[in-house]
Amino acid sequence: MEHRGVAAAALICILGFFEASKLRTVEGNGAPRAQLSSILDVNGDWHVHAGDNGGFIEMEIIGELEKVDVKIWPMPVEVVLGEKPLYLDGHTFKFEVANLPSVPDTLAKAFVRYHAIIFSLHAQHSGSSSPALTKLIVTLGSQNEELQYGVDESYMLDVRDSSDSNVAYLEALTVYGALRGLETFSQLTSYNFTSKSVQIRRTPCFIKDFPRFPYRGLLIDTSRHYQPVTSIKRVLDSMAYSKLNVLHWHIVDEQSFPIEIPSYPLLWNGAYSYAERYTMDDAREIVEYARLRGINVMPELDVPGHAASWGVGYPELWPTSKCIEPLDVSSNFTFDVINGIIEDFRTVFPFKFAHLGGDEVDTGCWERTSHIQNWLNVRNITAKDAYADFVVRAQDIAIKHGYVPVNWEETFHTFSSRLKKETVVHNWFQSGTCAQAVKKGFSCILSDQSSWYLDHLDATWDKFYETEPFSNIENKDEQDLMLGGEVCMWGETADESNILQTIWPRAAAAAERLWSTLEYTKVGHTQAVSRFQHFRCLLNRREIPAAPIFYGSRFAYGRSSPYGPGSCFKQ
Amino acid sequence: MEHRGVAAAALICILGFFEASKLRTVEGNGAPRAQLSSILDVNGDWHVHAGDNGGFIEMEIIGELEKVDVKIWPMPVEVVLGEKPLYLDGHTFKFEVANLPSVPDTLAKAFVRYHAIIFSLHAQHSGSSSPALTKLIVTLGSQNEELQYGVDESYMLDVRDSSDSNVAYLEALTVYGALRGLETFSQLTSYNFTSKSVQIRRTPCFIKDFPRFPYRGLLIDTSRHYQPVTSIKRVLDSMAYSKLNVLHWHIVDEQSFPIEIPSYPLLWNGAYSYAERYTMDDAREIVEYARLRGINVMPELDVPGHAASWGVGYPELWPTSKCIEPLDVSSNFTFDVINGIIEDFRTVFPFKFAHLGGDEVDTGCWERTSHIQNWLNVRNITAKDAYADFVVRAQDIAIKHGYVPVNWEETFHTFSSRLKKETVVHNWFQSGTCAQAVKKGFSCILSDQSSWYLDHLDATWDKFYETEPFSNIENKDEQDLMLGGEVCMWGETADESNILQTIWPRAAAAAERLWSTLEYTKVGHTQAVSRFQHFRCLLNRREIPAAPIFYGSRFAYGRSSPYGPGSCFKQ
């Protein structure tokens, strides 16, 4: 990838240059007040905060806006910034592709989205302000639009000083790198209330960026509560804003089976209701919507333990009508159905990985069911052996259909020697599992429940930020087996009405850990506070209801309401 | 308005026909479970609920879907339904206008919106199902697109039996009546998972409808928390779904002054931050966005008591720097600024009404300020007299600029004889104020804080539903002075991250009270439960995060999370 020769050496290299936290606590006479960080706005001459304090009004003149830098989340690998503003006229500004006969569909659609994101926050003045940026020209290394695990997401962004050029450049090897660059470009822009136009406040600006980990995931759970297709699409929109790239779709569980399976058409009788279902075409639409945002979708079948809803349509999958999970291990029909589901999934989900669950299996039901106990006796195996057999047989089916299987960590802890060597171990239950798994040569995904479970509302954002995938993994070969990590939005108490504010902003803290350099993030959450507040407000402006970061003087729990009146940038 | 001759007499007239509540409580062995109502889906042959009960799985076969009717919220005045389904093909279905040379802009944009609403919930099968509806033809009584208070919102909707016609008709006197009819039409549609297309399940269908009250409002407060323009637009989207028609925009208060006032350009220095502001063009865009949805925007200046933020830009508006509200009554500059604001507002807000606040005025500050106390002494008036003078002088300014003034009820209780006769009294504090006000010949808007304040989270939806604007008002002339009512979303603990789930679904309960006939709503909330649950899920599908209605076995507080896993239609 050619660097277009911006005179970077003449500018300040600011890896690690963004403001260290300048947290200070402001206490009124009454209740504790929110911690105030340095002011976050990228432009302006003044800032005033008027607070309500026990019925009396206290005016705090915070004074001159501090010269803070452009806020980008997650932090890019390298940023160089000048001091001159550039304006963008929404009526004339264009995105273009430089080196291809036609604009790839993925980019053409992204251009429309990012134009709207950049110019829709405030009414635009019709005249143009100068100096103006007229174009962002995208140069791609490849026209291939296939999205797969490990696709190159690197990019370089080069916004010149206006005396040099009124054109900016974005270079990427793939359309997916270009998407990441467009997101960063959009975060460079802000609204200037004097010129009434959009600006990039500090040019020249040069950014070089690429992700630390190839797997940066978010789990959603559509079994405990159905999420409308529209809701899943908004989750995908929001993921792109913090450069997450895998939607782990925990589609079915014991409570409901919302998806159509053409091979076994009665399965979705296990949905909560007639309306709370996804057709195969809905799933295809979700996968394509995700792809257009550079996001892979990993489907999950959580077998054999979390599967009671399967038997609504096919009761023979249940050991008995009173003991309905784990699925009947003694019946070939069980595996026929798993095969049918995975075969159908293969027509919808092109991702490298399929998740097969395997967690929280209570084999007591098998032991209490006479035909299964007989089956165990004939084979002279224990219920625990049967659990391993079940998981491995499901893995074989997934592999046959071209998937690499992912399993929750219990399978690793219980029978690691029987797992297929390509198995990806998915940590959730105990810290340190990934260190054990990679030592045995397995790949691993980190989702430590103590810090990366979004339904744990008391896991505050600093915990999400400080969780390190390389914790206790120092060997380079073992580090290479860490695919990345994933935050989990289990759905027991999350439906369409609160999923987004339960996910955000905390998921973004993990997203930075997974994207930005360890050199930057290891310094810890403190240096990121004001930039994180800024990103939360950016999400709010983009209609993503990210919850407050502070609640009074402490970090807020998940989906907290604001503590009291105040600025978005301080709450 | 001509009725197109549907054989209504041959069908069942179902005013009051919709199901009475069939609430039953299902208790598991463990924690209390959500109350289950009759199943709400408009189609299907089965319904199954699989619940999680303390680690064991309990499957409840609820059995045959009850034959419940199409669910419309708020309930129309008259509905006649047949039994035959009709299908709509998203690729070919069209909205048309019958009797005009061109489609009015308001309707052309509504056609695009409602096409998306109707067809975007699930992927559409490409072939057409039969019998099919090909068009909805709109006939308008007038091409006038001006939106004003009291505009006619009536409509008739006539979806024929397919043997009669494959065209449906919507008639309205105005484009705004047509908008209400389009909303109802959209609520008649649902997705058929067998044909994989949209259907209207019960035709022929004839609906005649008009609102009970001309003023059906929602207050939002952008001073305690700034709401991005995008957030206000989503509030407006959601209001249209329950046919609310006034956005009362409580723009400024003591905490912040977010809006640009060209006449006094330092006023918005009182914003929370550089970015948390609205330009005049933003406000114009909001007004136009609202108009396109048949919603008027009423601006509020809450003087003299809730105005401390004004003095950030102009400290001379404060009595002293330590005593900063009420605004200085002794200074002509105070009224020059009010005049400037209202004059600027007149270029943006064409609504009949402007709200001037007047509530919670503590005149102690005036009495403690020597130059104001001297001014009172010279005039030989009390601080209370000065409060009345202030309010009336502000009313004069509003009237001069063509507004009818609205004031919070304290002004009525404190000096009703001095209020301009056209004053609209806005109840909030005590029940019974409207009955007193209309008896004295004032118009009144009901917002009883005990039942219609959305920030009162313990005001459950049944309270919103049962609140009656005609309570203790029996005289017809006095009833005519009741303009309607308004639910209030005060912003102390509501920002972009939670405003929509605090408003919805409770605001919809008041919306039905204000739209539907008293004959229907006086029966009470019980008959509306399952239809209300259905409407909440409809909002969710349309990306409006309306909160659950039940929490366990009781009605949920405002913005409650789900109690546990379950169907949207039961929570």
PDB file of all heavy atoms in Angstrom, chain A residues 429-455:
ATOM      1  N   PHE A 429     -16.749 -19.184  31.432  1.00  0.00           N
ATOM      2  CA  PHE A 429     -17.055 -19.425  32.839  1.00  0.00           C
ATOM      3  C   PHE A 429     -15.942 -19.006  33.783  1.00  0.00           C
ATOM      4  O   PHE A 429     -16.173 -18.349  34.794  1.00  0.00           O
ATOM      5  CB  PHE A 429     -17.378 -20.911  33.028  1.00  0.00           C
ATOM      6  CG  PHE A 429     -17.870 -21.240  34.394  1.00  0.00           C
ATOM      7  CD1 PHE A 429     -19.096 -20.757  34.831  1.00  0.00           C
ATOM      8  CD2 PHE A 429     -17.123 -22.012  35.267  1.00  0.00           C
ATOM      9  CE1 PHE A 429     -19.573 -21.050  36.101  1.00  0.00           C
ATOM     10  CE2 PHE A 429     -17.590 -22.316  36.538  1.00  0.00           C
ATOM     11  CZ  PHE A 429     -18.817 -21.831  36.964  1.00  0.00           C
ATOM     12  N   GLN A 430     -14.704 -19.434  33.434  1.00  0.00           N
ATOM     13  CA  GLN A 430     -13.643 -19.125  34.383  1.00  0.00           C
ATOM     14  C   GLN A 430     -12.467 -18.436  33.714  1.00  0.00           C
ATOM     15  O   GLN A 430     -12.134 -18.718  32.569  1.00  0.00           O
ATOM     16  CB  GLN A 430     -13.187 -20.385  35.132  1.00  0.00           C
ATOM     17  CG  GLN A 430     -12.682 -21.505  34.243  1.00  0.00           C
ATOM     18  CD  GLN A 430     -12.527 -22.799  35.037  1.00  0.00           C
ATOM     19  OE1 GLN A 430     -13.444 -23.255  35.732  1.00  0.00           O
ATOM     20  NE2 GLN A 430     -11.364 -23.416  34.937  1.00  0.00           N
ATOM     21  N   SER A 431     -11.876 -17.510  34.445  1.00  0.00           N
ATOM     22  CA  SER A 431     -10.696 -16.824  33.941  1.00  0.00           C
ATOM     23  C   SER A 431      -9.580 -17.842  33.779  1.00  0.00           C
ATOM     24  O   SER A 431      -9.465 -18.787  34.549  1.00  0.00           O
ATOM     25  CB  SER A 431     -10.267 -15.737  34.925  1.00  0.00           C
ATOM     26  OG  SER A 431     -11.289 -14.781  35.042  1.00  0.00           O
ATOM     27  N   GLY A 432      -8.778 -17.666  32.777  1.00  0.00           N
ATOM     28  CA  GLY A 432      -7.627 -18.538  32.578  1.00  0.00           C
ATOM     29  C   GLY A 432      -7.866 -19.692  31.633  1.00  0.00           C
ATOM     30  O   GLY A 432      -6.928 -20.413  31.283  1.00  0.00           O
ATOM     31  N   THR A 433      -9.095 -19.892  31.202  1.00  0.00           N
ATOM     32  CA  THR A 433      -9.372 -21.010  30.295  1.00  0.00           C
ATOM     33  C   THR A 433      -8.600 -20.881  28.994  1.00  0.00           C
ATOM     34  O   THR A 433      -8.034 -21.866  28.491  1.00  0.00           O
ATOM     35  CB  THR A 433     -10.885 -21.112  30.013  1.00  0.00           C
ATOM     36  OG1 THR A 433     -11.545 -21.511  31.219  1.00  0.00           O
ATOM     37  CG2 THR A 433     -11.174 -22.128  28.921  1.00  0.00           C
ATOM     38  N   CYS A 434      -8.550 -19.680  28.445  1.00  0.00           N
ATOM     39  CA  CYS A 434      -7.857 -19.531  27.157  1.00  0.00           C
ATOM     40  C   CYS A 434      -6.374 -19.866  27.297  1.00  0.00           C
ATOM     41  O   CYS A 434      -5.785 -20.489  26.403  1.00  0.00           O
ATOM     42  CB  CYS A 434      -8.057 -18.122  26.592  1.00  0.00           C
ATOM     43  SG  CYS A 434      -9.633 -17.948  25.699  1.00  0.00           S
ATOM     44  N   ALA A 435      -5.769 -19.456  28.416  1.00  0.00           N
ATOM     45  CA  ALA A 435      -4.349 -19.780  28.607  1.00  0.00           C
ATOM     46  C   ALA A 435      -4.149 -21.291  28.601  1.00  0.00           C
ATOM     47  O   ALA A 435      -3.182 -21.808  28.012  1.00  0.00           O
ATOM     48  CB  ALA A 435      -3.845 -19.163  29.912  1.00  0.00           C
ATOM     49  N   GLN A 436      -5.080 -22.024  29.234  1.00  0.00           N
ATOM     50  CA  GLN A 436      -4.986 -23.496  29.227  1.00  0.00           C
ATOM     51  C   GLN A 436      -5.230 -24.062  27.829  1.00  0.00           C
ATOM     52  O   GLN A 436      -4.547 -24.993  27.391  1.00  0.00           O
ATOM     53  CB  GLN A 436      -6.027 -24.097  30.171  1.00  0.00           C
ATOM     54  CG  GLN A 436      -5.869 -23.728  31.643  1.00  0.00           C
ATOM     55  CD  GLN A 436      -7.143 -24.073  32.431  1.00  0.00           C
ATOM     56  OE1 GLN A 436      -7.777 -25.094  32.194  1.00  0.00           O
ATOM     57  NE2 GLN A 436      -7.517 -23.209  33.363  1.00  0.00           N
ATOM     58  N   ALA A 437      -6.187 -23.487  27.131  1.00  0.00           N
ATOM     59  CA  ALA A 437      -6.573 -24.037  25.823  1.00  0.00           C
ATOM     60  C   ALA A 437      -5.460 -23.841  24.798  1.00  0.00           C
ATOM     61  O   ALA A 437      -5.122 -24.773  24.052  1.00  0.00           O
ATOM     62  CB  ALA A 437      -7.867 -23.379  25.340  1.00  0.00           C
ATOM     63  N   VAL A 438      -4.901 -22.646  24.733  1.00  0.00           N
ATOM     64  CA  VAL A 438      -3.862 -22.413  23.721  1.00  0.00           C
ATOM     65  C   VAL A 438      -2.598 -23.221  24.040  1.00  0.00           C
ATOM     66  O   VAL A 438      -1.860 -23.609  23.141  1.00  0.00           O
ATOM     67  CB  VAL A 438      -3.533 -20.907  23.543  1.00  0.00           C
ATOM     68  CG1 VAL A 438      -4.770 -20.153  23.064  1.00  0.00           C
ATOM     69  CG2 VAL A 438      -2.991 -20.281  24.834  1.00  0.00           C
ATOM     70  N   LYS A 439      -2.386 -23.475  25.320  1.00  0.00           N
ATOM     71  CA  LYS A 439      -1.243 -24.316  25.689  1.00  0.00           C
ATOM     72  C   LYS A 439      -1.411 -25.725  25.109  1.00  0.00           C
ATOM     73  O   LYS A 439      -0.439 -26.376  24.749  1.00  0.00           O
ATOM     74  CB  LYS A 439      -1.113 -24.372  27.219  1.00  0.00           C
ATOM     75  CG  LYS A 439       0.294 -24.712  27.705  1.00  0.00           C
ATOM     76  CD  LYS A 439       0.461 -24.511  29.207  1.00  0.00           C
ATOM     77  CE  LYS A 439       0.586 -23.071  29.631  1.00  0.00           C
ATOM     78  NZ  LYS A 439       1.797 -22.387  29.114  1.00  0.00           N
ATOM     79  N   LYS A 440      -2.665 -26.153  24.998  1.00  0.00           N
ATOM     80  CA  LYS A 440      -2.924 -27.470  24.401  1.00  0.00           C
ATOM     81  C   LYS A 440      -3.121 -27.395  22.892  1.00  0.00           C
ATOM     82  O   LYS A 440      -3.561 -28.360  22.264  1.00  0.00           O
ATOM     83  CB  LYS A 440      -4.162 -28.092  25.047  1.00  0.00           C
ATOM     84  CG  LYS A 440      -3.930 -28.511  26.497  1.00  0.00           C
ATOM     85  CD  LYS A 440      -4.982 -29.488  26.972  1.00  0.00           C
ATOM     86  CE  LYS A 440      -4.680 -29.914  28.413  1.00  0.00           C
ATOM     87  NZ  LYS A 440      -5.689 -30.812  28.956  1.00  0.00           N
ATOM     88  N   GLY A 441      -2.881 -26.210  22.325  1.00  0.00           N
ATOM     89  CA  GLY A 441      -2.924 -26.100  20.875  1.00  0.00           C
ATOM     90  C   GLY A 441      -4.268 -25.750  20.271  1.00  0.00           C
ATOM     91  O   GLY A 441      -4.433 -25.757  19.056  1.00  0.00           O
ATOM     92  N   PHE A 442      -5.254 -25.462  21.130  1.00  0.00           N
ATOM     93  CA  PHE A 442      -6.555 -25.031  20.602  1.00  0.00           C
ATOM     94  C   PHE A 442      -6.573 -23.517  20.391  1.00  0.00           C
ATOM     95  O   PHE A 442      -5.934 -22.777  21.138  1.00  0.00           O
ATOM     96  CB  PHE A 442      -7.677 -25.390  21.578  1.00  0.00           C
ATOM     97  CG  PHE A 442      -7.922 -26.864  21.685  1.00  0.00           C
ATOM     98  CD1 PHE A 442      -7.481 -27.579  22.804  1.00  0.00           C
ATOM     99  CD2 PHE A 442      -8.591 -27.548  20.678  1.00  0.00           C
ATOM    100  CE1 PHE A 442      -7.700 -28.945  22.915  1.00  0.00           C
ATOM    101  CE2 PHE A 442      -8.817 -28.923  20.785  1.00  0.00           C
ATOM    102  CZ  PHE A 442      -8.373 -29.625  21.901  1.00  0.00           C
ATOM    103  N   SER A 443      -7.347 -23.094  19.427  1.00  0.00           N
ATOM    104  CA  SER A 443      -7.649 -21.664  19.320  1.00  0.00           C
ATOM    105  C   SER A 443      -8.626 -21.305  20.420  1.00  0.00           C
ATOM    106  O   SER A 443      -9.329 -22.170  20.956  1.00  0.00           O
ATOM    107  CB  SER A 443      -8.279 -21.345  17.969  1.00  0.00           C
ATOM    108  OG  SER A 443      -7.403 -21.661  16.926  1.00  0.00           O
ATOM    109  N   CYS A 444      -8.684 -20.008  20.741  1.00  0.00           N
ATOM    110  CA  CYS A 444      -9.579 -19.610  21.828  1.00  0.00           C
ATOM    111  C   CYS A 444     -10.180 -18.226  21.585  1.00  0.00           C
ATOM    112  O   CYS A 444      -9.546 -17.363  20.966  1.00  0.00           O
ATOM    113  CB  CYS A 444      -8.812 -19.621  23.159  1.00  0.00           C
ATOM    114  SG  CYS A 444      -9.895 -19.624  24.622  1.00  0.00           S
ATOM    115  N   ILE A 445     -11.406 -18.078  22.060  1.00  0.00           N
ATOM    116  CA  ILE A 445     -12.102 -16.780  22.064  1.00  0.00           C
ATOM    117  C   ILE A 445     -12.399 -16.450  23.515  1.00  0.00           C
ATOM    118  O   ILE A 445     -12.935 -17.276  24.254  1.00  0.00           O
ATOM    119  CB  ILE A 445     -13.425 -16.851  21.271  1.00  0.00           C
ATOM    120  CG1 ILE A 445     -13.148 -17.153  19.796  1.00  0.00           C
ATOM    121  CG2 ILE A 445     -14.216 -15.555  21.417  1.00  0.00           C
ATOM    122  CD1 ILE A 445     -14.404 -17.538  19.014  1.00  0.00           C
ATOM    123  N   LEU A 446     -12.086 -15.220  23.912  1.00  0.00           N
ATOM    124  CA  LEU A 446     -12.276 -14.798  25.296  1.00  0.00           C
ATOM    125  C   LEU A 446     -13.631 -14.115  25.497  1.00  0.00           C
ATOM    126  O   LEU A 446     -13.985 -13.203  24.746  1.00  0.00           O
ATOM    127  CB  LEU A 446     -11.164 -13.797  25.667  1.00  0.00           C
ATOM    128  CG  LEU A 446     -11.130 -13.329  27.118  1.00  0.00           C
ATOM    129  CD1 LEU A 446     -10.549 -14.426  28.009  1.00  0.00           C
ATOM    130  CD2 LEU A 446     -10.296 -12.054  27.248  1.00  0.00           C
ATOM    131  N   SER A 447     -14.392 -14.590  26.473  1.00  0.00           N
ATOM    132  CA  SER A 447     -15.650 -13.915  26.851  1.00  0.00           C
ATOM    133  C   SER A 447     -15.844 -14.013  28.356  1.00  0.00           C
ATOM    134  O   SER A 447     -16.954 -14.292  28.826  1.00  0.00           O
ATOM    135  CB  SER A 447     -16.850 -14.558  26.141  1.00  0.00           C
ATOM    136  OG  SER A 447     -16.837 -14.306  24.764  1.00  0.00           O
ATOM    137  N   ASP A 448     -14.796 -13.766  29.115  1.00  0.00           N
ATOM    138  CA  ASP A 448     -14.833 -13.920  30.573  1.00  0.00           C
ATOM    139  C   ASP A 448     -16.094 -13.274  31.183  1.00  0.00           C
ATOM    140  O   ASP A 448     -16.292 -12.079  31.090  1.00  0.00           O
ATOM    141  CB  ASP A 448     -13.569 -13.261  31.146  1.00  0.00           C
ATOM    142  CG  ASP A 448     -13.356 -13.607  32.609  1.00  0.00           C
ATOM    143  OD1 ASP A 448     -14.352 -13.778  33.331  1.00  0.00           O
ATOM    144  OD2 ASP A 448     -12.182 -13.702  33.007  1.00  0.00           O
ATOM    145  N   GLN A 449     -16.922 -14.109  31.812  1.00  0.00           N
ATOM    146  CA  GLN A 449     -18.210 -13.601  32.311  1.00  0.00           C
ATOM    147  C   GLN A 449     -18.063 -12.523  33.376  1.00  0.00           C
ATOM    148  O   GLN A 449     -18.966 -11.719  33.587  1.00  0.00           O
ATOM    149  CB  GLN A 449     -19.066 -14.746  32.848  1.00  0.00           C
ATOM    150  CG  GLN A 449     -18.449 -15.440  34.054  1.00  0.00           C
ATOM    151  CD  GLN A 449     -19.433 -16.363  34.760  1.00  0.00           C
ATOM    152  OE1 GLN A 449     -20.641 -16.243  34.590  1.00  0.00           O
ATOM    153  NE2 GLN A 449     -18.910 -17.284  35.544  1.00  0.00           N
ATOM    154  N   SER A 450     -16.922 -12.509  34.052  1.00  0.00           N
ATOM    155  CA  SER A 450     -16.782 -11.516  35.117  1.00  0.00           C
ATOM    156  C   SER A 450     -16.569 -10.113  34.563  1.00  0.00           C
ATOM    157  O   SER A 450     -16.762  -9.128  35.276  1.00  0.00           O
ATOM    158  CB  SER A 450     -15.622 -11.892  36.036  1.00  0.00           C
ATOM    159  OG  SER A 450     -14.395 -11.737  35.349  1.00  0.00           O
ATOM    160  N   SER A 451     -16.206 -10.025  33.299  1.00  0.00           N
ATOM    161  CA  SER A 451     -15.938  -8.689  32.757  1.00  0.00           C
ATOM    162  C   SER A 451     -16.515  -8.435  31.374  1.00  0.00           C
ATOM    163  O   SER A 451     -16.651  -7.292  30.968  1.00  0.00           O
ATOM    164  CB  SER A 451     -14.427  -8.457  32.701  1.00  0.00           C
ATOM    165  OG  SER A 451     -13.799  -9.491  31.969  1.00  0.00           O
ATOM    166  N   TRP A 452     -16.864  -9.475  30.627  1.00  0.00           N
ATOM    167  CA  TRP A 452     -17.345  -9.277  29.255  1.00  0.00           C
ATOM    168  C   TRP A 452     -18.762  -9.808  29.032  1.00  0.00           C
ATOM    169  O   TRP A 452     -19.154 -10.050  27.897  1.00  0.00           O
ATOM    170  CB  TRP A 452     -16.347  -9.870  28.237  1.00  0.00           C
ATOM    171  CG  TRP A 452     -15.199  -8.929  27.939  1.00  0.00           C
ATOM    172  CD1 TRP A 452     -14.897  -7.761  28.580  1.00  0.00           C
ATOM    173  CD2 TRP A 452     -14.199  -9.068  26.909  1.00  0.00           C
ATOM    174  NE1 TRP A 452     -13.789  -7.163  28.024  1.00  0.00           N
ATOM    175  CE2 TRP A 452     -13.319  -7.954  27.000  1.00  0.00           C
ATOM    176  CE3 TRP A 452     -13.945 -10.021  25.921  1.00  0.00           C
ATOM    177  CZ2 TRP A 452     -12.230  -7.771  26.134  1.00  0.00           C
ATOM    178  CZ3 TRP A 452     -12.849  -9.836  25.065  1.00  0.00           C
ATOM    179  CH2 TRP A 452     -12.013  -8.729  25.172  1.00  0.00           C
ATOM    180  N   TYR A 453     -19.509 -10.017  30.094  1.00  0.00           N
ATOM    181  CA  TYR A 453     -20.915 -10.372  29.950  1.00  0.00           C
ATOM    182  C   TYR A 453     -21.745  -9.095  30.136  1.00  0.00           C
ATOM    183  O   TYR A 453     -21.807  -8.535  31.240  1.00  0.00           O
ATOM    184  CB  TYR A 453     -21.326 -11.425  30.982  1.00  0.00           C
ATOM    185  CG  TYR A 453     -21.269 -12.849  30.462  1.00  0.00           C
ATOM    186  CD1 TYR A 453     -20.384 -13.220  29.453  1.00  0.00           C
ATOM    187  CD2 TYR A 453     -22.127 -13.823  30.972  1.00  0.00           C
ATOM    188  CE1 TYR A 453     -20.341 -14.530  28.973  1.00  0.00           C
ATOM    189  CE2 TYR A 453     -22.086 -15.132  30.505  1.00  0.00           C
ATOM    190  CZ  TYR A 453     -21.200 -15.477  29.503  1.00  0.00           C
ATOM    191  OH  TYR A 453     -21.165 -16.772  29.030  1.00  0.00           O
ATOM    192  N   LEU A 454     -22.383  -8.668  29.088  1.00  0.00           N
ATOM    193  CA  LEU A 454     -23.127  -7.405  29.145  1.00  0.00           C
ATOM    194  C   LEU A 454     -24.358  -7.501  30.032  1.00  0.00           C
ATOM    195  O   LEU A 454     -24.831  -6.493  30.565  1.00  0.00           O
ATOM    196  CB  LEU A 454     -23.521  -6.982  27.727  1.00  0.00           C
ATOM    197  CG  LEU A 454     -22.329  -6.590  26.842  1.00  0.00           C
ATOM    198  CD1 LEU A 454     -22.674  -6.771  25.368  1.00  0.00           C
ATOM    199  CD2 LEU A 454     -21.891  -5.162  27.121  1.00  0.00           C
ATOM    200  N   ASP A 455     -24.895  -8.722  30.194  1.00  0.00           N
ATOM    201  CA  ASP A 455     -26.051  -8.874  31.079  1.00  0.00           C
ATOM    202  C   ASP A 455     -25.637  -8.812  32.545  1.00  0.00           C
ATOM    203  O   ASP A 455     -26.517  -8.722  33.413  1.00  0.00           O
ATOM    204  CB  ASP A 455     -26.799 -10.176  30.774  1.00  0.00           C
ATOM    205  CG  ASP A 455     -25.885 -11.382  30.762  1.00  0.00           C
ATOM    206  OD1 ASP A 455     -24.821 -11.320  30.118  1.00  0.00           O
ATOM    207  OD2 ASP A 455     -26.228 -12.385  31.403  1.00  0.00           O
TER     208      ASP A 455
END
